[in-house]
Amino acid sequence: LRDILVDQWGFDGIVISDWVSVFERVDGVKAGLHVEMPGKKGYNDAKIVEAVQQGILKEEELDKLVAETLSLVFKAKSLEKKGISFSTDEHHKFARKVAGECMVLLKNDGPLLPLTKDKYKTIGIIGQFSVQPRFQGNGSSEVKPTFMDKAKDEIEKLAAGDFDIVYAQGYSLKDDKDTTYIAEAVKIAAQVDVVVLHLGLPQEYESEGYDRKHLAIPPAQIELLHEVAKVQKKIVVVLTNGSAVSMEWQDKAPAIMEAWLGGQAGGGAIADVLFGLVNPSGKLAETFPQRLEDTPAFLDLPGINRTLNYGEGVFVGYRWYDKRDIKPLFPLGHGLSYTQFQYDNIKLSSEKISEKDVLKVSCTVKNIGSKAGKEIVQLYVGDIESRLIRPKKELKGFQKIHLNVGEEKTVDFELNKRDFSYYNEQWGGWIVESGEFDILLGSSSRELPLEASVSLETQERLPLQYDNRNTLREWIDFPETKELVYPVIEAFFKSMPTEYQGDLKDYKIHNDFFLDIPMSKYPVLSAGMISMESIDEMVERSKSIRVKL
């Protein structure tokens, strides 16, 4: 290894310590060598040394793996800049700004938010998350923050002089069934004008290494919400969680804000949105289902006999809910604002295109509300008719724009061949079919007020790749293959005791029965009138055919 470093990179006098502890990809795995990352007190090092000594792992293979890793390390080291400094304060301010734009206002009946002094005098903050924030994921992604904002502290700072703040813990993050804190929280809730209730998933509910078994927040938190709702109707729920949760309780909360795991400045960002210093503009990057049973992988997880079937195929996320016509709790792209936006004037650069063209799409968006705000304009494409089962629509672009009160902007998109294509295993690549496509624009996957259509005519021709297992319906689908199959089957269909009309798609008796039978079955079906030799000859002749989809 030292020779490799000196000869190839010119490094000499290098001390290599503990690099091998991070390697998993070794030849010895199949031979029984099992190495895990991260290494623990030299255990993995010893296993690797033992594997080399026993001949399970070749030393030159180990050198190669180490060299690959060191190559990346030295490349990164060579790009290191000297004399660089940064301000932790400035970075924290920027983190607060980013977190503020990520907050998603899911619901705002009333509207309860923002919290303004003309509407409220006293605010009740309930929930341990407000003083013990969960700001990051659980597992090897954990990092050390330079600062840590707490939502309660930041709310009190912004409320100073305008609001009276009272606090109750509400629940325990160490025991998800502990209800001993509820009584105090209810007492507080009854005395204030509005309650900001911090709920969500404790750290042990979600992490790398294991799957969630349900979508619910802890039972003690749900009970807390129901009890608070008995004495207070103005409840703003602020959620702390890394993934979707079910909300059987949402009728008790007129306002719901998804704060996610907001990083070290997340607490300040929560306060900014609650008081309207930041107009919420985040949108959901995933669908929130009504219940676990609605999710695409419900019947496939956790698998059987160490085998997991991805049964949903391409119908992940919103594609599943659209295709099965399931109403989600909140759809992909959903997110409210403290202002309102009006969509208008959808325009396409052309009504007819080929696969070589770029389609330009535009619309206008106007802020018709009373506050400046940002909107994320989303563009979806739907294939009206396809040879394969495709999603009803697919997200192909989005843009975030800022609009002052009364301001209007034109938003432009461009779509190319790939935006209309799908992956076809038969042809081993992305293909596009001729046909009509819907172009949809709006604020979420379920709020798409603008719609237009474009006709795409592809000039691309693909090899047919048919054999005798293809059905009669498939063989008569292209003009080129119709000419091949009709002479083979015509005598048989003319012998049937009914009027033969020339086009088998119009054949009236047992139409689907005949059309969906593989050609290899027709010799038996026709009692020899159609020979396997004639079908084999048809298949052979088809190999030179290229068809336009």
Side-chain angles (χ1 to χ4, degrees):
L1 178 59
R2 181 182 179 280
D3 292 339
I4 294 174
L5 294 174
V6 173
D7 293 342
Q8 294 187 19
W9 297 315
F11 292 102
D12 201 356
I14 292 178
V15 177
I16 301 173
S17 62
D18 206 33
W19 283 108
V20 291
S21 66
V22 301
F23 300 138
E24 289 182 277
R25 186 170 62 84
V26 292
D27 283 345
V29 171
K30 292 183 179 179
L33 173 65
H34 181 66
V35 183
E36 294 182 346
M37 184 278 291
K40 292 289 181 71
K41 298 180 180 179
Y43 174 81
N44 286 338
D45 299 16
K47 296 292 289 184
I48 291 176
V49 171
E50 181 183 351
V52 172
Q53 291 174 343
Q54 294 180 359
I56 297 174
L57 174 62
K58 295 179 181 179
E59 190 170 347
E60 53 267 31
E61 178 65 15
L62 178 60
D63 286 349
K64 179 182 176 182
L65 296 171
V66 174
E68 289 177 1
T69 299
L70 290 180
S71 177
L72 179 61
V73 170
F74 294 138
K75 183 178 181 180
K77 185 70 175 178
S78 69
L79 299 174
E80 187 177 87
K81 297 178 180 180
K82 305 296 182 182
I84 299 298
S85 63
F86 72 97
S87 167
T88 53
D89 289 334
E90 290 302 315
H91 279 232
H92 189 78
K93 289 178 182 177
F94 182 69
R96 183 165 178 161
K97 178 179 184 298
V98 172
E101 295 216 14
C102 294
M103 303 286 160
V104 182
L105 185 59
L106 298 176
K107 183 179 177 182
N108 192 23
D109 295 347
L112 258 63
L113 294 175
L115 304 177
T116 57
K117 58 185 179 181
D118 61 314
K119 293 190 293 186
Y120 312 109
K121 300 299 181 185
T122 56
I123 301 172
I125 302 174
I126 299 175
Q128 193 173 2
F129 274 126
S130 67
V131 296
Q132 189 175 328
R134 181 176 169 227
F135 69 99
Q136 63 178 330
N138 186 14
S140 59
S141 63
E142 292 181 3
V143 297
K144 302 291 185 183
T146 57
F147 302 103
M148 179 51 60
D149 284 354
K150 298 177 180 179
K152 175 179 175 291
D153 294 344
E154 300 304 318
I155 290 172
E156 288 176 339
K157 290 177 186 177
L158 295 182
D162 293 323
F163 304 88
D164 292 325
I165 304 294
V166 288
Y167 167 76
Q169 180 175 328
Y171 52 82
S172 169
L173 289 174
K174 294 182 179 180
D175 184 350
D176 63 1
K177 297 182 177 65
D178 185 355
T179 60
T180 58
Y181 299 92
I182 293 179
E184 178 193 7
V186 171
K187 183 178 179 181
I188 291 291
Q191 298 171 359
V192 298
D193 296 329
V194 62
V195 165
V196 177
L197 183 56
H198 295 260
L199 305 177
L201 301 179
Q203 181 167 289
E204 64 270 15
Y205 265 55
E206 50 184 357
S207 170
E208 66 173 346
Y210 57 85
D211 295 322
R212 294 167 62 191
K213 301 297 190 295
H214 57 79
L215 297 177
I217 63 174
Q221 294 186 27
I222 296 176
E223 184 174 342
L224 168 66
L225 171 60
H226 282 280
E227 292 302 313
V228 168
K230 292 178 181 179
V231 300
Q232 177 60 254
K233 301 304 180 185
K234 296 179 179 179
I235 300 174
V236 178
V237 167
V238 177
L239 289 169
T240 293
N241 49 294
S243 51
V245 295
S246 57
M247 300 184 196
E248 299 82 0
W249 41 263
Q250 69 151 317
D251 62 315
K252 305 297 182 183
I256 304 173
M257 187 172 80
E258 177 57 81
W260 303 112
L261 308 180
Q264 68 178 49
I270 289 172
D272 291 341
V273 173
L274 289 175
F275 287 105
L277 276 67
V278 170
N279 192 345
S281 59
K283 301 281 189 174
L284 288 183
E286 60 184 300
T287 302
F288 274 37
Q290 297 273 2
R291 55 186 192 141
L292 180 65
E293 290 80 0
D294 292 341
T295 56
F298 175 70
L299 291 177
D300 294 312
L301 285 170
I304 300 174
N305 298 327
R306 301 175 68 182
T307 299
L308 176 59
N309 177 39
Y310 286 77
E312 69 272 26
V314 299
F315 295 97
V316 294
Y318 69 98
R319 301 171 184 84
W320 171 268
Y321 298 91
D322 284 352
K323 199 69 173 181
R324 295 186 63 84
D325 196 22
I326 298 172
K327 183 180 179 180
L329 180 63
F330 297 108
L332 175 85
H334 174 74
L336 304 178
S337 170
Y338 294 152
T339 191
Q340 294 81 43
F341 301 100
Q342 177 179 289
Y343 284 72
D344 207 353
N345 300 322
I346 184 171
K347 293 181 180 179
L348 307 183
S349 59
S350 178
E351 294 181 353
K352 295 182 179 181
I353 59 172
S354 75
E355 78 277 15
K356 297 180 181 179
D357 296 325
V358 172
L359 179 67
K360 296 181 179 180
V361 182
S362 68
C363 72
T364 58
V365 182
K366 185 176 182 179
N367 185 344
I368 59 173
S370 58
K371 299 178 183 295
K374 295 182 179 181
E375 172 69 327
I376 299 179
V377 184
Q378 302 163 44
L379 182 150
Y380 295 79
V381 173
D383 191 350
I384 296 177
E385 184 177 358
S386 173
R387 295 174 185 276
L388 294 186
I389 299 177
R390 296 191 67 181
K392 281 189 174 182
K393 60 180 180 292
E394 295 175 283
L395 178 66
K396 296 299 181 180
F398 60 89
Q399 289 189 41
K400 192 168 191 176
I401 58 173
H402 179 274
L403 293 171
N404 292 316
V405 176
E407 184 180 6
E408 180 178 274
K409 285 184 179 179
T410 298
V411 183
D412 299 303
F413 297 92
E414 289 187 351
L415 299 174
N416 57 33
K417 174 186 175 181
R418 180 63 179 269
D419 295 312
F420 298 95
S421 302
Y422 63 85
Y423 190 86
N424 188 300
E425 291 185 7
Q426 179 181 349
W427 281 283
W430 293 89
I431 66 169
V432 60
E433 294 182 12
S434 298
E436 297 291 319
F437 291 83
D438 287 329
I439 309 298
L440 308 163
L441 287 164
S443 60
S444 81
S445 63
R446 293 291 176 103
E447 292 292 333
L448 298 165
L450 301 183
E451 180 176 351
S453 63
V454 62
S455 177
L456 189 153
E457 183 69 26
T458 179
Q459 302 303 315
E460 185 176 30
R461 290 185 173 271
L462 300 168
L464 187 64
Q465 299 180 332
Y466 273 11
D467 58 29
N468 61 25
R469 291 171 296 181
N470 287 93
T471 66
L472 179 56
R473 186 189 301 276
E474 292 170 319
W475 276 94
I476 67 174
D477 199 28
F478 298 104
E480 299 89 344
T481 51
K482 263 189 179 182
E483 294 181 5
L484 292 178
V485 74
Y486 267 30
V488 174
I489 63 173
E490 192 169 23
F492 169 64
F493 278 95
K494 282 185 175 180
S495 70
M496 301 293 289
T498 185
E499 182 182 358
Y500 173 63
Q501 298 185 3
D503 189 336
L504 295 184
K505 284 191 173 181
D506 295 327
Y507 192 66
K508 292 183 178 179
I509 296 181
H510 303 307
N511 184 23
D512 288 336
F513 174 78
F514 285 115
L515 289 175
D516 291 326
I517 290 179
M519 291 305 301
S520 60
K521 302 297 182 183
Y522 268 89
V524 175
L525 183 66
S526 66
M529 186 176 294
I530 298 174
S531 68
M532 184 58 74
E533 289 77 13
S534 65
I535 293 174
D536 290 341
E537 181 183 352
M538 177 185 72
V539 171
E540 187 63 28
R541 292 177 62 190
S542 73
K543 291 180 180 179
S544 62
I545 292 177
R546 299 181 72 87
V547 294
K548 185 172 71 171
L549 299 184

